[in-house]
Amino acid sequence: LLGSSSGPTSGCLRKQRNSLLRRLLLIMDALVSHPYLCAATGAVVLLYVHQTRNRQPIVTNESWESHVRPHDPLEEIVAGRLWRLQGTWQGQGPPLRNMVIYKTSSGDLIVHNGVACDEETVTKIQQLGNLAVLIVPNGCHRADAKVWKDRFPKMKVACPRGCRDGVSQVLPVEMDVQELAHLYPECVKVHEIEGLRWKEWELMYEFSLGERAALCVSDLLFNLRPTGQWVDLIGHMFSSFGKNGRPVMSRLGRWFFATDKPKVRAFFLGLGSRKDIEFIVVGHGEVARGDCASMLREVAASL
């Protein structure tokens, strides 16, 4: 994380660096372990993101190619129904972000958090079905939305009503995501999470997979793995690393976004009582698979 060295003293230097890193992490952990300090830190981060985003010029003539960054191959989660692509955001490394593609029973494809990808992957995606809906999950996940709409103009752009103004700065929004439950009543459910600071900004999507179901959420849950890069410091500060592949709600989520914890806890306990949920796909991190009911109950317990 702090670099590498060679030569006869490299082992000693590595020990010194590891010791320094451990001390730094302990200090950062102590600073953000208090709910008020974490809330204050979260407020500063959100204010910075908001102000920076509003100062950025809105570019309307960018090409698809200019947005393509390194990404993993398209991963099939459920045969013929659900896929994920994990890509970088800016530069060549973390933070990583997930694009999710869901195929409805009618053959329409719903793309959640579109990520610009290479031509080989685009061809594979087009072969999956009819690209019908592009979900921009919130104002912080709009980076590639415009080039997706430019390339596939027949797709309908949908976003939560709470972030419509921010998304509309980049491209026109054609529907509220709640309408998806009416367009695909047997396939899609859109959950508003009572108790969140902005419940109309961060939503949870439920995709039917026959007798099974998958949940998709952007920034309320994380399932990151350590990368050995500097962003691990941020992941440690806000406790956004998954626990053996099990998603977590970060400190920032628990202490800043979940303003009415009993209501948020009740929401996750309700999902945790179900046996049909087999996948949880988050905006950042790995797909959770298997006993998702117990994972959701653990999230509730963390509140």
Side-chain angles (χ1 to χ4, degrees):
L1 187 64
L2 299 178
S4 59
S5 58
S6 59
T9 61
S10 61
C12 181
L13 288 175
R14 278 197 296 271
K15 289 181 180 179
Q16 291 177 355
R17 288 168 178 163
N18 289 338
S19 176
L20 176 62
L21 178 59
R22 282 194 296 270
R23 292 179 183 180
L24 179 60
L25 290 176
L26 287 172
I27 293 171
M28 295 171 69
D29 186 63
L31 287 175
V32 296
S33 291
H34 193 282
Y36 294 110
L37 288 174
C38 186
T41 304
V44 171
V45 171
L46 289 175
L47 180 62
Y48 172 78
V49 171
H50 177 72
Q51 294 297 327
T52 302
R53 184 187 66 190
N54 288 342
R55 287 198 301 266
Q56 291 175 343
I58 304 301
V59 181
T60 59
N61 59 350
E62 289 184 331
S63 67
W64 176 278
E65 291 74 17
S66 68
H67 279 247
V68 176
R69 297 180 177 89
H71 60 79
D72 292 342
L74 187 65
E75 174 192 2
E76 188 174 52
I77 301 172
V78 178
R81 297 301 301 274
L82 190 66
W83 299 262
R84 176 190 74 139
L85 182 141
Q86 182 171 245
T88 56
W89 180 44
Q90 293 181 346
Q92 302 298 310
L96 302 176
R97 54 188 175 139
N98 288 326
M99 172 174 67
V100 180
I101 302 175
Y102 170 68
K103 186 173 184 177
T104 68
S105 56
S106 65
D108 285 351
L109 298 180
I110 298 174
V111 177
H112 179 275
N113 189 32
V115 173
C117 42
D118 59 43
E119 290 303 313
E120 180 181 355
T121 305
V122 171
T123 300
K124 291 180 180 178
I125 292 173
Q126 289 177 298
Q127 293 172 348
L128 300 178
N130 173 45
L131 286 162
V133 179
L134 174 65
I135 297 177
V136 185
N138 59 52
C140 295
H141 284 264
R142 61 182 190 175
D144 293 344
K146 179 65 166 57
V147 295
W148 260 87
K149 176 63 175 177
D150 289 344
R151 178 147 190 175
F152 304 105
K154 292 184 178 180
M155 294 187 77
K156 299 293 184 182
V157 177
C159 78
R161 67 177 69 95
C163 61
R164 188 171 188 132
D165 290 344
V167 175
S168 296
Q169 294 178 12
V170 177
L171 76 168
V173 177
E174 296 162 283
M175 69 168 74
D176 188 314
V177 289
Q178 296 286 4
E179 296 179 38
L180 294 176
H182 301 291
L183 290 175
Y184 308 102
E186 298 181 358
C187 298
V188 181
K189 294 181 181 178
V190 182
H191 298 284
E192 281 191 2
I193 305 172
E194 294 290 337
L196 292 186
R197 185 175 296 273
W198 300 296
K199 70 175 183 178
E200 296 176 351
W201 194 79
E202 176 76 352
L203 304 178
M204 181 174 286
Y205 305 88
E206 180 179 333
F207 299 135
S208 174
L209 303 168
E211 296 181 355
R212 301 178 294 171
L215 299 178
C216 179
V217 66
S218 298
D219 299 314
L220 188 61
L221 300 179
F222 288 81
N223 197 13
L224 297 173
R225 292 187 299 180
T227 64
Q229 301 188 39
W230 66 269
V231 292
D232 285 358
L233 296 175
I234 300 176
H236 181 81
M237 279 181 65
F238 296 113
S239 293
S240 48
F241 291 126
K243 298 179 180 179
N244 298 318
R246 304 168 77 85
V248 298
M249 186 181 295
S250 70
R251 284 182 176 139
L252 194 60
R254 296 194 305 271
W255 291 338
F256 189 73
F257 291 109
T259 52
D260 190 332
K261 289 182 177 59
K263 289 184 177 180
V264 182
R265 186 186 304 120
F267 173 81
F268 281 100
L269 285 175
L271 292 175
S273 66
R274 294 171 48 181
K275 298 181 179 180
D276 61 326
I277 300 173
E278 290 196 9
F279 305 95
I280 303 173
V281 190
V282 295
H284 306 279
E286 300 303 314
V287 179
R289 310 164 191 261
D291 185 14
C292 291
S294 66
M295 301 179 195
L296 294 164
R297 293 195 295 271
E298 288 174 5
V299 172
S302 73
L303 293 164

